[in-house]
Amino acid sequence: MGTQTDSNPGAGSAARPSESIKSKFQGRSCSIPVLIVVFVQTFIVASLVLIIPLVISFQSMTSANDLSTSTGRNLANSLAIKIQNIEGELALENIGSLIQYVTENTLGIYKTLQAYVDTNNLDQVLYSFANADKYTGYAYNMYFGSFDNGMILLQKSGPEAILTTMPVGYAEAHPNCKLCSYFTQNFSQADREWAVKRDTFSAVGGWNLDTWTYSGFGFANFTFKPSLRPWYKLAATQGYLKNAQVMYTEPYLFAGSGAGQTGGATAGITAVIPLYDDNRSIRGVYGSDIAFTDMHATLTKMINTPNSFIYVMTRGGVLIGTSTNESILDAGGNLKPALEAAHPRIHLTANFLNARLGSGKSDYTTLEGYFETEGMYFQLRALPLEPHFVIVNGAPKTDYTGDIDAVLQELDNTLRASMQKIIGISVAVFVVMVCISCVLTYFSVTVPLSKITTIMVQATSFDFTAFKAMEKQKGNFITELGTMEKVFYTMIEKFAQSIKANRELSGANNNQASGLASQNRGTANNQSARKI
């Protein structure tokens, strides 16, 4: 008997469908789910869409806020300079007007005394002063000191309007002077002895402007020699001039008492002018006092902000008036320099100006201008004429920028709060956008792709259960995915039909092979029987 071979070699292969077939497709060892890709894409796009406008808006808001801040400060600084300029000009004008007023009246009285008055007769001098008071309303005292130390002073009218001093023997040397004999009538014997001992008869009396009379003289206990006083000595240095000039003394302490006491003594300056006779010999000196305590009230009226200040000093730096309660006298009762002021703002600015002067220099009139130091704006001005007083006024910057600083701080706080709100809202919108994108991607892309993947995995094992379940579902609403699903389902359906046809064909072949095998066995049996 010969060996039988299989006439259908492919039938064995068809009969073993589960046998694994090695795929030639090379996949990736690592892959990323589409949901993560969509998340990253959405994150990047949303970040760019949100961050770029936010950065631009923040920069714009910050720039606008900085611009408003700098503009506000510049306006405040400009306003501060204007206010101080007005204060300085006002102070300069007031003090300058005062000096000019005293100068003009001094020249007027000088001309009267020089041309019409016998200055050896103090009665005539007194009456000329009274006329000036009556017809000009001159507000300051007027006095004359003769070369032989007689003196008469008049300040307005009242019970103590007249002050007169004379050395021993002056009345006898001037018999035409009725006042010289009259004013000592009320002196006691002790008063006379004291006056002789000091070589000074001093008295204070009243003046009635209506009746044009003096009365009520009483003993004044002080020693006084006009020719020894600073104002007299200064005027005498001028020498004979056809047109004498008004001169101003350096600040000094006035002798005696009077209005405007400061620390027990009156400080001020005196306007003086000398009188000469035809022989060019000095007859005496006319003077008028300006007390510095009057200056305090004037400067106080010019203050415009809570911490502003004004002070006046000589060109050499001696303090002569302030808008504060700073005393112009030191502990020893002497006028003090502004450098030693106790008030912090006066002390600060005075020392700053002194440093600007430089070593060995003391003329502050050379420093006119505007200055800034340690949060302080101030300026220095000087009178253009004698006595060349220096006026310094200023204030801390906060006096001018305080309200603006508050507004600008409020703007900064508002900007910061707005930025926080915008960032919070942006982050919330960003998170919501990413979540919505991920959810939509999950249900519209990931789920359909997962189903397709499941069908494909089952199809490799010739399992079409999932495919049968999805045949009843509608396609994806996304065009591309819907088209892909349709094509994929058509492909799977054809694949399934091919598998079914292949199985049917395989079964028919198997049946045919079985029939041929049976027929061959029957023929073989018949042949064996014949041989037997």
Side-chain angles (χ1 to χ4, degrees), residues 294 395 456 489 525:
D294 297 333
M456 293 177 67
Y489 292 152
N525 291 331

Side-chain angles (χ1 to χ4, degrees), residues 352-370:
F352 176 86
L353 293 171
N354 184 66
R356 293 292 294 268
L357 271 180
S359 178
K361 298 180 181 179
S362 60
D363 188 357
Y364 285 88
T365 61
T366 61
L367 293 178
E368 284 196 83
Y370 298 92

Side-chain angles (χ1 to χ4, degrees), residues 123-155:
D123 287 333
Q124 292 188 29
V125 176
L126 175 62
Y127 293 142
S128 68
F129 290 167
N131 271 304
D133 178 35
K134 182 177 181 179
Y135 295 108
T136 67
Y138 186 60
Y140 296 92
N141 60 18
M142 298 169 280
Y143 55 87
F144 173 78
S146 67
F147 69 96
D148 51 358
N149 289 324
M151 193 195 82
I152 186 73
L153 178 148
L154 177 67
Q155 183 165 7

Side-chain angles (χ1 to χ4, degrees), residues 135-202:
Y135 295 108
T136 67
Y138 186 60
Y140 296 92
N141 60 18
M142 298 169 280
Y143 55 87
F144 173 78
S146 67
F147 69 96
D148 51 358
N149 289 324
M151 193 195 82
I152 186 73
L153 178 148
L154 177 67
Q155 183 165 7
K156 308 301 287 183
S157 61
E160 295 183 351
I162 299 174
L163 170 66
T164 183
T165 68
M166 302 171 193
V168 174
Y170 187 87
E172 291 76 11
H174 300 82
N176 294 327
C177 175
K178 295 181 180 180
L179 175 64
C180 298
S181 302
Y182 176 81
F183 82 98
T184 59
Q185 289 182 355
N186 296 326
F187 284 16
S188 66
Q189 184 61 32
D191 294 336
R192 292 178 182 276
E193 291 176 356
W194 185 257
V196 170
K197 183 177 180 179
R198 294 199 172 186
D199 193 25
T200 301
F201 285 86
S202 303

Side-chain angles (χ1 to χ4, degrees), residues 8 19 29 37 123 133 165 179 199 213 228 230 241 256 279 290 314 317 342 459 468 482 510 514:
N8 189 5
E19 185 177 334
S29 59
V37 173
D123 287 333
D133 178 35
T165 68
L179 175 64
D199 193 25
T213 57
L228 299 179
L241 292 174
N279 296 322
I290 302 175
T314 65
K468 293 293 184 181
N510 289 336
S514 298

Side-chain angles (χ1 to χ4, degrees), residues 253 267 318-319 327-337 340:
L253 299 179
V318 176
L319 195 63
S327 173
I328 62 174
L329 302 179
D330 60 20
N334 301 310
L335 289 165
K336 66 183 178 184
E340 298 178 3

Side-chain angles (χ1 to χ4, degrees), residues 54-73:
L54 281 176
V55 170
I56 295 174
S57 63
F58 289 160
Q59 288 180 344
S60 299
M61 293 172 66
T62 303
S63 299
N65 193 60
D66 292 341
L67 179 61
S68 64
T69 300
S70 60
T71 301
R73 293 188 184 279

Side-chain angles (χ1 to χ4, degrees), residues 440 444-445 475-483:
L440 290 175
S444 62
V445 177
N476 198 290
F477 63 89
I478 298 177
T479 302
E480 288 79 2
L481 287 177
T483 302

